[in-house]
Amino acid sequence: MKLSKMRLLIILLLIFSCRPKEFESLSSQINDRPVEITEIKFQTILDSAALNGSILIFDESTNQFHSNDFEWSNTGQLPASTFKIPNSIIALETGVVDSDTSILKWDGEPRRFESWEEDMTLREAFLRSCLPCYREIARTVGLERMKEMTSKLEYGNLKFDSTNLDLFWVQGESTITPFEQIDFLRRIANSDLAISNRTDEFIKKIMILEENDSFTLRAKTGWSIVDDHDNGWFVGYLTIQDSNYFFATNVEPGEGFDMDDFSRIRKEVTMAAFKALEVI
């Protein structure tokens, strides 16, 4: 059956009246998509330090990702002690710990490091990366609440049950990518997590690693060892005036690397990358 001229005209008008809005929506989506810029100078920094891996930096003001290796930045690794960020949030949200100054008691048992062998506040436990402290927090939170909260926070791909509740972030099959780390950090910085204002305030205070006239650095290191294979993190964000710069560095020792330097080198290469971008 042939369409009447009037009906055909109405259909054509409807089609063309919708097209500009569709094109505008598509254009907006394209423009909102972050740009990925490969940084050879980041690779030079890692090569000079005898490290393999990636440095991933996100400039929120320009909507740009910078990295030497975007494939590595999309690869999941054990969260290691970077999980102390969400674990602190979970402790505060569940009431297991009341505030950043709440005291975590030492049970008197020998610990790996002398700095762990004393009572300390939550913030001190975070800065000293006290694994026994956070294992106790996880056990007190319990399996069901931990599952509920990690799902709510949308942090990586975590796999745990009652058998590894207090170690799943350093052992097992849990993973998070550098891109996922930055997504989580952005939600912290922009207060987009489904948490109380009180917890939001405490976690931003707990995470401060360095503060000076130029910037505030909120960050956490992480280090996992699986089958003698070392993997290290340094994740966080720099606040300079009103701008935030997010980073997730994930590295492994290369040939000839001195493992005595692994604790400090993750921060050093990250800050070198910021200097290469002339951010600091």
Side-chain angles (χ1 to χ4, degrees):
M1 182 182 295
K2 293 184 178 179
L3 293 172
S4 69
K5 290 183 179 180
M6 181 59 72
R7 288 181 65 192
L8 181 60
L9 178 61
I10 291 171
I11 291 170
L12 289 173
L13 285 171
L14 287 171
I15 292 172
F16 282 100
S17 67
C18 291
R19 285 181 69 190
K21 292 181 180 179
E22 292 171 357
F23 289 151
E24 182 180 343
S25 175
L26 179 60
S27 174
S28 174
Q29 291 176 26
I30 292 172
N31 290 336
D32 287 343
R33 189 175 301 153
V35 176
E36 294 184 358
I37 301 173
T38 301
E39 298 287 356
I40 302 301
K41 47 198 168 186
F42 287 9
Q43 188 61 53
T44 301
I45 291 168
L46 292 181
D47 289 344
S48 298
L51 291 171
N52 301 317
S54 70
I55 300 170
L56 181 66
I57 291 176
F58 180 68
D59 183 342
E60 200 167 53
S61 64
T62 60
N63 201 30
Q64 293 177 338
F65 279 104
H66 302 261
S67 182
N68 60 298
D69 190 335
F70 284 102
E71 183 177 352
W72 191 298
S73 295
N74 270 304
T75 302
Q77 309 286 352
L78 276 167
S81 286
T82 68
F83 183 70
K84 288 184 175 68
I85 302 174
N87 209 1
S88 297
I89 292 172
I90 292 166
L92 291 162
E93 282 292 280
T94 57
V96 167
V97 175
D98 183 60
S99 75
D100 62 316
T101 58
S102 293
I103 300 297
L104 306 180
K105 291 287 188 179
W106 175 40
D107 60 8
E109 293 296 318
R111 290 175 171 176
R112 182 178 179 184
F113 300 111
E114 187 177 339
S115 63
W116 292 355
E117 294 180 344
E118 63 181 21
D119 296 347
M120 63 187 85
T121 65
L122 179 64
R123 174 165 162 73
E124 288 170 338
F126 183 90
L127 294 175
R128 299 179 195 180
S129 209
C130 178
L131 177 60
C133 299
Y134 279 89
R135 291 185 68 186
E136 178 62 26
I137 285 173
R139 288 191 291 265
T140 306
V141 168
L143 181 61
E144 293 308 314
R145 287 196 295 181
M146 184 65 78
K147 283 185 175 293
E148 178 186 348
M149 287 300 303
T150 52
S151 175
K152 182 179 178 180
L153 294 176
E154 298 180 46
Y155 176 88
N157 180 24
L158 303 180
K159 297 182 180 181
F160 60 92
D161 55 29
S162 60
T163 66
N164 67 342
L165 175 61
D166 61 348
L167 277 176
F168 65 85
W169 57 92
V170 290
Q171 296 177 6
E173 299 178 357
S174 294
T175 61
I176 189 167
T177 71
F179 273 106
E180 290 171 333
Q181 293 273 21
I182 285 181
D183 173 72
F184 181 65
L185 292 162
R186 289 184 69 192
R187 286 183 284 131
I188 290 176
N190 295 313
S191 300
D192 286 337
L193 291 177
I195 59 178
S196 69
N197 292 336
R198 188 169 181 270
T199 298
D200 179 75
E201 178 184 343
F202 283 140
I203 194 61
K204 287 172 179 171
K205 188 190 302 182
I206 289 168
M207 287 178 65
I208 294 175
L209 190 62
E210 184 178 346
E211 198 166 16
N212 55 47
D213 294 336
S214 300
F215 60 78
T216 299
L217 172 64
R218 292 178 172 86
K220 186 71 192 77
T221 56
W223 186 347
S224 62
I225 306 173
V226 179
D227 297 327
D228 295 324
H229 182 83
D230 295 85
N231 183 273
W233 289 100
F234 187 55
V235 307
Y237 62 100
L238 276 175
T239 302
I240 302 175
Q241 296 180 345
D242 295 326
S243 298
N244 289 320
Y245 301 85
F246 301 86
F247 60 89
T249 294
N250 183 263
V251 291
E252 297 176 353
E255 186 176 351
F257 182 80
D258 183 351
M259 286 306 297
D260 289 341
D261 296 333
F262 203 52
S263 293
R264 62 172 181 79
I265 200 68
R266 291 162 288 170
K267 178 183 176 182
E268 288 184 6
V269 295
T270 303
M271 302 310 283
F274 275 115
K275 288 178 181 177
L277 291 178
E278 299 183 349
V279 170
I280 57 175

